[in-house]
Amino acid sequence: MARMPSAERRRQLTEAAIRAMARDGVARTTTRSIAAEAEVSLSVFHYCFDSKQALIESVITTLTDHSVTVVKDALRPTGAPAPTDTPAPTGAPAPTDTPAPGATLEETVAAGFRAYWDHVRAHPDEHMLTYELTQYALRQPGFEHLARRQYALYAEAYADLIEQLRRDMDLRLQVPVSVLARYLAAMTDGLTLNYLVLGDEEAWTDILETVTAHIAGLVRAG
């Protein structure tokens, strides 16, 4: 087996855990099945992760990064270099009809939401897994803090995106960043679950337009 830096090996095992959990469910996924999915020995797994809590926290962080990365890419000004520290998720079909960030706030917000929606549509299993992880953490004694960490990560990710837009577009917010970030996290969380349950793609066009107009109304150009 080729030697691999520990950080890269952890990423490999985390991505393998995501595939195994999305396929088999969180409760039924074992360390042995994750090691087999990653094609490494069980001893390598235990070298990288000393507990199931550490693994689940890495899975939660990575799943959040998958969604945030595609949104940040959509919001990046044309010609700006893409970051290289977060690997893009594999296996996704090419996104379709995702508008580039535009001159207006509404166009830019629409680009971000459309990029997120493309990711949900391409990876419903990953997004379904996020809800299963929340329920698992809340029901498993000693894991409750991971559910709180999961939703704190969502708010932090939105706060970073809001700050990015505020800098790039000289925006003034009608509400504090922390409030808007938690509001966006809660709204996106509910809309995503609604889609996973109902699967109504056509309705999402009108929903995204409504969300875009509403969010744009909470900020204004400086």
Side-chain angles (χ1 to χ4, degrees), residues 29 35 57 136 142 159 195 199 220:
T29 299
E57 184 166 10
Y136 179 85
Y195 168 74
R220 60 184 177 182

Side-chain angles (χ1 to χ4, degrees), residues 70 89-98 114-115 117-119 121-123:
V70 297
T90 59
T96 58
D97 64 5
T98 300
R114 175 59 64 179
W117 159 240
D118 281 343
H119 191 272
R121 188 167 56 88
H123 300 279

Side-chain angles (χ1 to χ4, degrees), residues 63-78:
L63 286 171
T64 304
D65 285 345
H66 285 180
S67 297
V68 171
T69 296
V70 297
V71 175
K72 284 186 174 180
D73 287 346
L75 298 181
R76 186 176 299 109
T78 303

Side-chain angles (χ1 to χ4, degrees), residues 1-16 19 35 37-41 43-45 47-49 87:
M1 180 188 304
R3 292 185 62 85
M4 184 181 294
S6 58
E8 186 175 347
R9 184 68 77 186
R10 283 175 62 91
R11 284 196 295 269
Q12 177 195 24
L13 284 164
T14 300
E15 294 290 353
R19 294 193 299 273
E37 183 75 25
E39 298 183 341
V40 301
S41 67
S43 61
V44 170
F45 177 93
Y47 175 79
C48 293
F49 293 102

Side-chain angles (χ1 to χ4, degrees), residues 118-139:
D118 281 343
H119 191 272
V120 173
R121 188 167 56 88
H123 300 279
D125 54 339
E126 283 195 9
H127 291 271
M128 193 177 304
L129 176 58
T130 64
Y131 297 100
E132 186 178 353
L133 285 164
T134 304
Q135 293 294 320
Y136 179 85
L138 289 174
R139 292 179 179 275

